[in-house]
Amino acid sequence: MKKSNSGRLEIVQISRAVAILFVLIGHANNNFYQQIGYDWLNIAQWERTGGVDFFFIVTGFMIYYLYHKHAGNKEKATQFLIKRIVRIFPMYWIFTTLALIVPYAFPLLQESYSVEVTLKSFFLLTSAPILSSAWSLTHIVIFYFLFFAYMYKPVIMKPVIGLLIGYTLLGEMNIFPFLPSTIFNVSTLEIFCGALVAHLSIHFTNRYAGLCIVLGLAGYALTWIHNIYSLTFIPLALAYGSCSMLIMYGIAEKDKTKRNVPHILSYLGGASYSIYIAHGPFIKVYLVIFVKLNFFDIIHPFFGLVLIILLVTASCCMVYNIVEKPLVETLRRTVFGKKRVTKPVPPLLAK
């Protein structure tokens, strides 16, 4: 595969930004519906918007693309797992703690949690964590541990992962409904589908990259139309996952040559984890403030929704600059004993 001349996946950077912004929009709309009854395009009634599905595909793609060549290298496998833990958990713990503390300043957000729920949330042992917007992180962590095992012992893990994927498909068809839903889950399967796209992109030239992107986008549009008008029943995870794979396969081919992308989109791609982790609490706080100020008596809820999305995005970018970057750099120096990473690795969407 001919890699990008710039050494970075510029369009994939944009796709990470787009994926996380779709997730943010969906969560913001759901909060608006719960708090003031406003539901843009009836999105709150949809089972899913497709943002998280694209999120999973991009995550699997990036992990496999960056680390597949180290399969069988135990030292690299260990480094991979440590880097993922360093990147994921400190930020996650900070905002889970804030999710527990902040409601005391905003009584409307007050919720009580048992010790069991709190502990399970801190260690991502539940699909319904206290930081509710991070539910998908459970599936991503499972994927990271499986990918670590694959890097460590690829000969053993290839059939194990194959069986996991097969049993997950059987579980989705209710043939084995008793399987643990957290592990044998379509969300985890989508992340592996992203890795499959990376494998295909590395080993094959896609001569129909543009067509793949167009078909994938058209599929998303048709699925959204289906959601708005409830035309018929379709399995949304399958629809979104397939379309996301097509889009990602096309993007990956386009990214084999140097691309100039807007700096703001590249930046948002880099800040994607901060946006992912921090957007839930920020949405709740801004919405409570707007309601307290009777803001929606002045402007239409749609414009309030747009404004909160912009405020939340800006706030999360501040978190990225002030908290995530220095925190991760400090932890990496502490763990690996280096002043800087010798070979820059683009931060991943679901870190």
Side-chain angles (χ1 to χ4, degrees), residues 74-281:
K74 296 180 180 179
E75 181 181 356
K76 291 290 184 181
T78 303
Q79 288 178 4
F80 161 80
L81 186 60
I82 293 173
K83 285 180 180 179
R84 294 299 94 208
I85 291 173
V86 165
R87 175 141 330 248
I88 291 173
F89 282 101
M91 282 285 290
Y92 172 72
W93 286 334
I94 288 172
F95 278 90
T96 296
T97 301
L98 288 175
L100 287 168
I101 295 173
V102 168
Y104 289 100
F106 297 90
L108 289 176
L109 300 177
Q110 189 69 51
E111 292 186 60
S112 59
Y113 302 99
S114 67
V115 174
E116 180 184 0
V117 169
T118 302
L119 290 175
K120 284 185 176 180
S121 292
F122 267 89
F123 294 99
L124 288 171
L125 299 176
T126 174
S127 59
I130 292 171
L131 192 63
S132 58
S133 58
W135 66 268
S136 53
L137 200 55
T138 301
H139 302 290
I140 291 164
V141 168
I142 289 171
F143 172 79
Y144 284 161
F145 276 101
L146 288 170
F147 194 82
F148 157 74
Y150 162 73
M151 289 179 66
Y152 201 87
K153 284 287 186 181
V155 174
I156 294 175
M157 287 306 299
K158 281 182 181 179
V160 170
I161 291 173
L163 286 172
L164 183 146
I165 292 171
Y167 281 125
T168 300
L169 292 172
L170 292 174
E172 287 298 310
M173 292 184 286
N174 292 320
I175 296 176
F176 287 135
F178 55 84
L179 294 172
S181 60
T182 302
I183 298 175
F184 298 92
N185 190 284
V186 69
S187 296
T188 308
L189 180 60
E190 284 183 312
I191 307 174
F192 279 106
C193 287
L196 173 61
V197 172
H199 177 81
L200 294 174
S201 178
I202 291 167
H203 293 94
F204 302 98
T205 298
N206 180 4
R207 300 184 183 278
Y208 304 99
L211 179 61
C212 286
I213 294 173
V214 169
L215 289 175
L217 292 174
Y220 258 84
L222 290 172
T223 306
W224 288 334
I225 291 171
H226 159 271
N227 290 342
I228 293 171
Y229 296 104
S230 300
L231 300 178
T232 183
F233 171 77
I234 59 172
L236 292 181
L238 176 61
Y240 286 132
S242 301
C243 293
S244 297
M245 290 178 70
L246 282 171
I247 295 170
M248 200 70 238
Y249 194 28
I251 286 174
E253 187 64 33
K254 296 289 185 182
D255 240 345
K256 291 181 182 179
T257 56
K258 184 176 176 61
R259 301 280 174 176
N260 294 318
V261 301
H263 175 71
I264 182 63
L265 292 177
S266 180
Y267 172 82
L268 288 174
S272 58
Y273 186 56
S274 288
I275 297 172
Y276 168 69
I277 284 295
H279 77 270

